[in-house]
Amino acid sequence: MHIDWWTLGLQAVNVLILVWLLGRFLFRPVADIIAARQAEVDVRLADAAKAAADAGADRRRAADELAKAAATRADALSAAAADAAMEKSALLAEAQADGERLRAEARADVERARREEAQSADDRAAMLAVDIAERLLTRLPEAARTIGFDDDLAAQIAALPAPTLAAVRADGAQFLLRTPRALSDAALGAVRDKLSAAIGAPAQVSVEVDPGVIAGFELTAPHVVVRNNLKADLERISAELTRHGHV
Amino acid sequence: MMASPLQSQPLFHIGPAPITEPVVVAWGVMAFLVVGAVLAARRLSITPSKGQAALEILVSAIDTQLRETMQVDPAPYRALIGSIFLFVLVANWSYLIPGVEPPTARLETDAALALIVLAATIVHGVRTRGFLGYLATFAEPSWIMIPLNLIEQLTRTFSMIVRLFGNVMSGVFILGIVLMLAGLIVPIPLMALHLLTGAVQAYIFAVLATVFIGAAVGRRRPSSHEASNP
């Protein structure tokens, strides 16, 4: 066996040179590009992880905001419901108060109308009663319309206050006597005498027939009027009957 | 046709050095690999083309093999093991070119490769363990093993030479005989088989080199890759 040492050495050198060349132009650049890609991938993975983490944080933040918004909405709804309930209660109370007031006013109006109607009916009844009494009294006999009234007339004159009587006397004791019928001279003289006695001075009496007096007399002087007749009585009764609050 | 596989006739001389055919073919293989590497590496980018992807697969496969076998960062050994693999592979397949004899079918080329592996084993062993530390590996597991370990260093190198030389030379030799007997169609299956044999031998040579260097480097140490990816 023959070994060509020159060939062996040259091949060794060739292989070493090849190792250096391929390491320089093939393996190192390819390994570098693989490492660069790996680094790029690592960076992008890190970015993706960061983006995912950010997205998760954003999602959690959004969920928190949504929860806050929901809570705020619930609070607002509760507050609005409470306000509405309060407003409703106030409106109901006000409406009830208005209703009560209106009902009270209506009741008062009804009561007032009822009282007015009753008063009106009472007035009409009183007037009707007076009118009936007046018509019935007009049926009295002529003689009965003056008998007995002169004493009461004199008594009423005598009961007048002293200054009034003095003023009457000072004026000459002149009277106008209204009667429902013409008096006879005797009856007129009796009346004059009783009046004179009542005032303490001679009375001057002039007579005026007035059927409206019905029965009795009405004596008129400058300072006094004395009514002692059924017409005046009926008027007092009518006034008394139609006086509101005393029916 | 081959002459004696144990003898090489010089084609020309450069000074005192006789340039034989294996050397010339080795230059051709080197030129092919280097030019191809320069052309391929010139267009590398983050987004790989199909050719770049194939290169990256090759480099990644070498790295994976180194990492799994040596349990260390493959970077310091990638160029040596990868270059030996590519050189042996292309040299084994160079017989497909008519009239070209694979340089690995010559003892000197295989011896050169094996001696480089032996030197690399020693260099990396000393660099990793220190000179005394590396020498101490010869006394493992006992000092009695020193002679045997020294002999093992030589015999496994010799086995690498003989294995590669025998497989490639015999394949080429048989193919030459078949070509002489039946020059058409019949050699094709044998040529395909020799393609497979050449690839397997390149792989075995690279793996053995890896194993020997890995044994010299020692037990597993944390690599930069593993340190960054625990």
Side-chain angles (χ1 to χ4, degrees):
Chain A
M1 186 177 68
H2 174 73
I3 298 294
D4 185 353
W5 297 104
W6 276 106
T7 299
L8 193 153
L10 286 172
Q11 293 293 61
V13 172
N14 286 338
V15 171
L16 290 176
I17 293 173
L18 181 65
V19 167
W20 183 82
L21 288 174
L22 290 183
R24 172 72 176 79
F25 294 108
L26 178 64
F27 292 110
R28 189 183 304 166
V30 173
D32 289 345
I33 201 72
I34 291 174
R37 184 182 300 110
Q38 185 62 47
E40 180 82 12
V41 168
D42 291 342
V43 169
R44 293 192 180 187
L45 283 177
D47 292 344
K50 183 177 181 303
D54 292 344
D58 290 343
R59 192 164 53 247
R60 286 191 295 275
R61 199 158 40 244
D64 292 343
E65 292 295 329
L66 279 178
K68 289 179 181 175
T72 304
R73 176 173 172 273
D75 293 342
L77 286 176
S78 298
D83 291 344
M86 192 179 303
E87 187 71 17
K88 178 184 174 185
S89 300
L91 288 175
L92 280 176
E94 186 178 354
Q96 286 177 347
D98 289 344
E100 290 295 332
R101 182 176 53 78
L102 290 175
R103 277 195 295 273
E105 289 178 358
R107 281 195 298 271
D109 290 343
V110 168
E111 182 65 20
R112 184 166 53 251
R114 189 187 63 76
R115 281 200 306 269
E116 288 176 356
E117 184 62 27
Q119 186 65 48
S120 176
D122 291 344
D123 290 349
R124 285 195 303 272
M127 290 177 65
L128 179 60
V130 169
D131 189 49
I132 291 171
E134 186 176 353
R135 290 185 180 225
L136 290 175
L137 290 174
T138 57
R139 293 173 58 87
L140 287 173
E142 289 290 333
R145 294 190 179 186
T146 56
I147 295 173
F149 288 95
D150 50 354
D151 293 335
D152 289 339
L153 181 66
Q156 289 178 5
I157 291 296
L160 290 174
T164 302
L165 289 175
V168 170
R169 282 192 298 268
D171 290 337
Q174 294 181 355
F175 295 98
L176 174 60
L177 181 66
R178 286 191 179 89
T179 64
R181 67 179 180 90
L183 295 177
S184 62
D185 292 338
L188 180 59
V191 171
R192 184 182 300 114
D193 292 340
K194 290 178 182 178
L195 291 176
S196 297
I199 62 176
Q204 303 297 321
V205 178
S206 58
V207 176
E208 180 181 334
V209 177
D210 184 2
V213 176
I214 301 175
F217 303 106
E218 179 174 313
L219 190 63
T220 303
H223 299 289
V224 66
V225 174
V226 177
R227 303 178 74 187
N228 181 27
N229 53 58
L230 294 181
K231 178 64 173 179
D233 293 341
L234 289 175
E235 287 178 356
R236 279 195 298 274
I237 291 170
S238 176
E240 192 67 25
L241 290 175
T242 57
R243 190 176 63 182
H244 294 169
H246 295 278
V247 178
Chain B
M1 290 292 93
M2 292 185 62
S4 169
L6 299 178
Q7 286 187 342
S8 296
Q9 298 300 322
L11 299 177
F12 57 90
H13 287 76
I14 297 178
I19 305 301
T20 57
E21 182 183 358
V23 174
V24 174
V25 175
W27 287 345
V29 170
M30 290 171 60
F32 172 77
L33 289 174
V34 172
V35 171
V38 170
L39 292 177
R42 192 177 54 183
R43 289 176 291 184
L44 294 178
S45 68
I46 293 293
T47 304
S49 62
K50 291 181 180 179
Q52 180 181 339
L55 278 180
E56 291 182 4
I57 289 173
L58 172 66
V59 174
S60 297
I62 292 172
D63 281 356
T64 302
Q65 188 70 48
L66 291 172
R67 189 178 294 111
E68 291 179 352
T69 303
M70 301 174 69
Q71 302 291 304
V72 294
D73 181 14
Y77 316 100
R78 182 189 301 124
L80 175 65
I81 303 300
S83 299
I84 288 175
F85 172 74
L86 290 178
F87 178 78
V88 173
L89 179 67
V90 175
N92 288 348
W93 286 358
S94 65
Y95 79 98
L96 294 175
I97 302 173
V100 174
E101 180 185 349
T104 47
R106 291 293 175 177
L107 198 58
E108 291 84 357
T109 305
D110 300 333
L113 289 167
L115 289 176
I116 287 173
V117 171
L118 174 63
T121 301
I122 296 171
V123 169
H124 285 297
V126 171
R127 192 183 65 182
T128 304
R129 297 173 179 269
F131 182 70
L132 294 178
Y134 178 69
L135 290 180
T137 61
F138 288 92
E140 292 175 353
S142 170
W143 61 271
I144 299 175
M145 298 297 291
I146 291 176
L148 291 177
N149 286 332
L150 288 173
I151 293 171
E152 180 201 9
Q153 285 287 319
L154 300 176
T155 55
R156 70 186 186 186
T157 301
F158 188 72
S159 73
M160 290 179 70
I161 298 171
V162 172
R163 181 184 300 106
L164 181 60
F165 170 70
N167 279 281
V168 177
M169 181 272 293
S170 61
V172 173
F173 213 78
I174 292 172
L175 188 61
I177 295 172
V178 172
L179 278 172
M180 283 194 301
L181 297 177
L184 190 62
I185 299 179
V186 176
I188 292 178
L190 289 175
M191 294 173 73
L193 178 63
H194 192 62
L195 277 176
L196 177 62
T197 304
V200 169
Q201 288 305 315
Y203 176 73
I204 288 174
F205 198 93
V207 167
L208 286 175
T210 304
V211 171
F212 295 160
I213 295 173
V217 167
R219 287 180 172 272
R220 175 180 180 172
R221 293 173 299 146
S223 65
S224 60
H225 174 79
E226 290 166 336
S228 60
N229 298 286

